[in-house]
Amino acid sequence: MSVISLTCSQTTLCYSSKPPHSFLTDFENSVIPRTSIPAFALKLSAYSQRLLRNGNLVSRRNRFHANSADSDADTNELETQLSRENGAVSSNGGNPSTSFLSVLCPLLKLFSGGDPSQERNFTLEVATSSLSTFARFPWGSRSLSQNLDRQHLTTLDPPMHLQLFEFEACPFCRRVREALTELDLSAEVYPCPKGSVRHREMVKRFGGKEQFPFLIDPNTGISMYESGEIVKYLFEQYGKGRKPTVGLLESTLFTGWMPTIFRAGRGMTLWEKAKRDPPPKKLELYSYENNPYARIVREALCELELPYILQNVGEGSLRSKSLDASGSKEVPYLIDPNTGTQVGDYKKILSYLFQTYSAAIV
């Protein structure tokens, strides 16, 4: 789909000269190193090399910017992001979708159910989350690793975790999470809800702007915005010849926003009573993108701005054995190394999260 040039934003690629290490090990100082991997040590995919050879690349303060035709410039307003992705913004502002979304987003906040820590109508919660799952069927439900020769394959993860900055209600962040499920990749997730006290500032400091999703790959030294470009990069770099499920990229413009509406904006805004400081260790969540129960848990993690390791366990995942070893056969399953808690029922997980990570609880 062609995009009006006025609405195109940029994909940012960053490279580093320090020895390989995680970009985000020091949460207390909230510092993201500008560098990570020696240029000579990079093992880039053909797609990444094409980005580097692109004549539109411009060097600036050790960053490389490439023009993208698939803009998902999510700043602070979801309606702005959707209209940009759609590429239908006109110079006179007469875009029906923009007008619709400018009304929709305040309504989502109004009907979001109030305090997420309070008792919920779980019948309604599961119903709306199941409708969200149906809207995005078949994307984000199964791993494509079953298409590989699995005889000597134990994991598809690179040596260091991918690091994804996103928020649960964002349709373009959802696109990237669906790709991670299909590729059977785990990732460190840094939720960036509106009102974020930590992670949005980190993205702005490192990438130069608050735009989501934002991916850091410490294995190649690349960081980038733009969901479409991120998905293409992930499949080129880690797909081992696999391709995204038909429609994954294109469908976001049509049904990617449906879960946001069905869930009334859950996973969009920071809970006002969330603890300001992150826990010493990241939580770990076994999940897959289109699971209706896991979605409800991810929304809570976002509203609490809790960083966590996302272990994708879609249908056919190589990670299923790891989930079994944890004592569960179903997702969501949460492990909190800070307290030694392991819990598998989504209702119990919600209760645990809001009790443990509320500033109101001493």
Side-chain angles (χ1 to χ4, degrees):
M1 176 182 293
S2 62
V3 180
I4 297 175
S5 59
L6 290 175
T7 66
C8 290
S9 60
Q10 294 178 322
T11 299
T12 306
L13 306 178
C14 305
Y15 299 88
S16 120
S17 57
K18 287 186 179 180
H21 66 282
S22 172
F23 277 83
L24 304 168
T25 56
D26 188 354
F27 262 104
E28 292 183 357
N29 295 326
S30 295
V31 173
I32 305 178
R34 299 273 179 168
T35 57
S36 71
I37 296 179
F40 62 81
L42 296 181
K43 295 183 179 179
L44 300 179
S45 67
Y47 175 73
S48 303
Q49 294 171 13
R50 287 200 300 273
L51 284 176
L52 286 175
R53 291 196 297 266
N54 190 315
N56 293 327
L57 288 172
V58 178
S59 175
R60 186 178 68 185
R61 295 183 183 178
N62 295 327
R63 294 195 185 100
F64 295 85
H65 297 272
N67 289 333
S68 168
D70 181 22
S71 170
D72 49 56
D74 161 33
T75 53
N76 286 329
E77 297 301 327
L78 183 59
E79 62 269 23
T80 302
Q81 181 187 34
L82 282 166
S83 62
R84 287 183 179 181
E85 275 277 353
N86 193 43
V89 179
S90 62
S91 58
N92 61 10
N95 180 11
S97 65
T98 303
S99 300
F100 171 71
L101 289 167
S102 65
V103 175
L104 172 64
C105 287
L107 287 177
L108 289 177
K109 186 174 182 179
L110 179 64
F111 294 108
S112 61
D115 190 337
S117 68
Q118 298 302 309
E119 185 67 27
R120 305 188 186 190
N121 183 336
F122 285 111
T123 300
L124 181 61
E125 291 279 313
V126 173
T128 56
S129 190
S130 296
L131 283 173
S132 303
T133 294
F134 180 78
R136 292 304 296 156
F137 181 82
W139 304 288
S141 295
R142 64 186 183 91
S143 166
L144 300 181
S145 60
Q146 57 206 27
N147 299 334
L148 300 174
D149 181 4
R150 301 169 58 144
Q151 185 175 358
H152 303 293
L153 198 61
T154 58
T155 181
L156 297 177
D157 284 325
M160 292 181 284
H161 282 135
L162 302 170
Q163 297 156 349
L164 178 65
F165 292 79
E166 52 87 67
F167 62 98
E168 180 66 26
C170 169
F172 305 106
C173 301
R174 185 172 297 117
R175 172 192 271 174
V176 174
R177 296 194 305 265
E178 289 170 347
L180 290 173
T181 294
E182 293 199 352
L183 288 169
D184 212 8
L185 292 172
S186 60
E188 293 177 6
V189 176
Y190 299 89
C192 301
K194 296 181 71 171
S196 163
V197 296
R198 294 186 299 272
H199 300 155
R200 286 195 173 221
E201 179 59 31
M202 294 166 76
V203 172
K204 186 176 180 181
R205 185 183 306 164
F206 185 70
K209 53 187 175 182
E210 286 188 21
Q211 179 174 311
F212 307 97
F214 180 65
L215 179 78
I216 296 174
D217 186 348
N219 302 282
T220 61
I222 285 181
S223 64
M224 60 197 310
Y225 295 99
E226 309 293 348
S227 64
E229 296 297 333
I230 291 173
V231 170
K232 292 174 185 176
Y233 167 78
L234 291 174
F235 272 90
E236 288 282 350
Q237 191 71 32
Y238 301 110
K240 301 182 184 297
R242 294 167 293 171
K243 301 295 181 183
T245 298
V246 175
L248 185 149
L249 287 168
E250 300 80 2
S251 64
T252 299
L253 299 179
F254 301 100
T255 63
W257 47 271
M258 293 299 289
T260 305
I261 292 179
F262 286 137
R263 295 297 298 149
R266 290 283 194 191
M268 180 185 295
T269 306
L270 178 69
W271 183 43
E272 60 183 9
K273 296 179 182 179
K275 284 185 177 180
R276 293 300 180 181
D277 297 321
K281 299 178 181 179
K282 297 180 186 68
L283 282 65
E284 187 172 1
L285 178 68
Y286 284 84
S287 167
Y288 63 85
E289 176 57 29
N290 217 15
N291 181 278
Y293 305 101
R295 177 182 292 109
I296 297 172
V297 172
R298 293 196 309 268
E299 291 167 350
L301 289 167
C302 185
E303 291 166 342
L304 289 163
E305 200 179 1
L306 289 172
Y308 62 98
I309 298 173
L310 175 64
Q311 301 284 12
N312 277 304
V313 196
E315 180 184 351
S317 170
L318 294 170
R319 205 168 282 106
S320 297
K321 292 182 179 179
S322 177
L323 177 62
D324 293 342
S326 298
S328 176
K329 294 184 179 296
E330 297 181 354
V331 298
Y333 188 75
L334 181 78
I335 301 174
D336 188 346
N338 301 286
T339 63
T341 298
Q342 299 187 25
V343 57
D345 180 84
Y346 80 100
K347 296 179 184 178
K348 293 179 180 179
I349 294 176
L350 287 181
S351 177
Y352 169 78
L353 289 174
F354 285 108
Q355 288 182 21
T356 305
Y357 294 103
S358 166
I361 302 297
V362 180

